[in-house]
Amino acid sequence: MKRKNFKIKFSLLFIILGLGILFFDSILNFIIYFIVVCMHELAHAFIAKKLGYKLGKLYIMPYGVCLNYENNIFGGSDEIYISIAGPLVNVLFCILCVTVWWLFPITYYYLDYFCFCNLLLASFNFLPCFPLDGGRVFVALLSKKIDREKAIKISYLCNYVLCSVLIILFIISLFNQINFTYIFIAIFLFTGTINPKKYSNYDYLSLNVNRNKLFKKGANVKIFAISSQVPIYKILAKFSKFKFNIVYIIFNTGAVKVLSENNINNLALKYSPTLNLEQITCIKN
């Protein structure tokens, strides 16, 4: 089972929002909004690459590029660092805009919509709801204390509570000034709970992209034994980034095979990290 090629898709909600901006606003504002979304994702991708991951599937939603919980394999706090990178970059651009306004007030007219899009994207993604970045951080933190599946269900609960509040606010707005933003966001959050497998995912790329420096100094060795039934990503999670890792794989037949971290890394790149070594026939031979 080899990895699929990189794919990029636009959600229906993103297309509807884009058409809305084009129809009610302007092409320029749509381009600005799209650039902000791309910068948000580039921040995710940059940190992910530094930590040893690559973007496998891209699914663009109205408030950024959303990531899938079930298919993503992350070690340690990597998921937190990758998730928070996007909204933090948006915050930095907001600060940059305010600084430029203070120095050159005339630029306000040219940067106001750009700043607004960054502020909107950052504030929305900080919410602890799936599939937003805040939801990923929330789940990653909870997963350190409880089972990940339970953490995801709690995140879903946050979605349902916020959706209910937004629907109530939309109903109230019907009697005054109708605000379709409430119902639009509610739909977006709700769809995140019913079809999570559509969202983007990062694939494991390598243990550490800068390990040459470690080896030049002379690295200690970590040796451990593990069952062949354990998925590749769980073996990777046990690796030390500060040592050279050697694994004794214990098969059901009682056979033992010794693999280095390089061997495991190559398997992670070639096959799905959710597979275990019993499912990869070339390892048994």
Side-chain angles (χ1 to χ4, degrees), residues 54-58 66-68 71-72 199-203:
K54 66 177 181 179
L55 184 61
K57 183 174 65 175
L58 192 64
C66 303
L67 304 176
N68 177 23
N71 293 339
N72 289 180
Y199 298 118
S200 310
N201 67 281
Y202 281 97
D203 295 326

Side-chain angles (χ1 to χ4, degrees), residues 49-73:
K49 186 176 180 180
K50 289 293 183 182
L51 293 173
Y53 302 86
K54 66 177 181 179
L55 184 61
K57 183 174 65 175
L58 192 64
Y59 194 69
I60 299 180
M61 294 290 285
Y63 292 94
V65 179
C66 303
L67 304 176
N68 177 23
Y69 281 118
E70 279 78 3
N71 293 339
N72 289 180
I73 308 302

Side-chain angles (χ1 to χ4, degrees), residues 142-190:
L142 284 179
S143 298
K144 294 179 181 293
K145 302 294 183 181
I146 61 175
D147 182 75
R148 187 173 179 82
E149 290 186 4
K150 291 182 180 179
I152 293 173
K153 289 180 180 179
I154 293 174
S155 180
Y156 282 162
L157 181 61
C158 291
N159 281 36
Y160 298 138
V161 171
L162 185 55
C163 283
S164 300
V165 172
L166 290 169
I167 291 172
I168 292 172
L169 290 174
F170 174 70
I171 293 173
I172 293 174
S173 74
L174 294 176
F175 300 95
N176 188 11
Q177 184 175 359
I178 300 178
N179 191 330
F180 289 101
T181 303
Y182 294 136
I183 196 67
F184 183 80
I185 297 175
I187 292 172
F188 165 65
L189 291 176
F190 182 72

Side-chain angles (χ1 to χ4, degrees), residues 35-44 64-65 86-87 90 121 125 133:
I35 289 173
V36 170
V37 170
C38 289
M39 291 190 308
H40 178 97
E41 176 51 32
L42 284 174
H44 286 309
V65 179
N90 294 131
L121 205 62
N125 272 284
D133 297 323

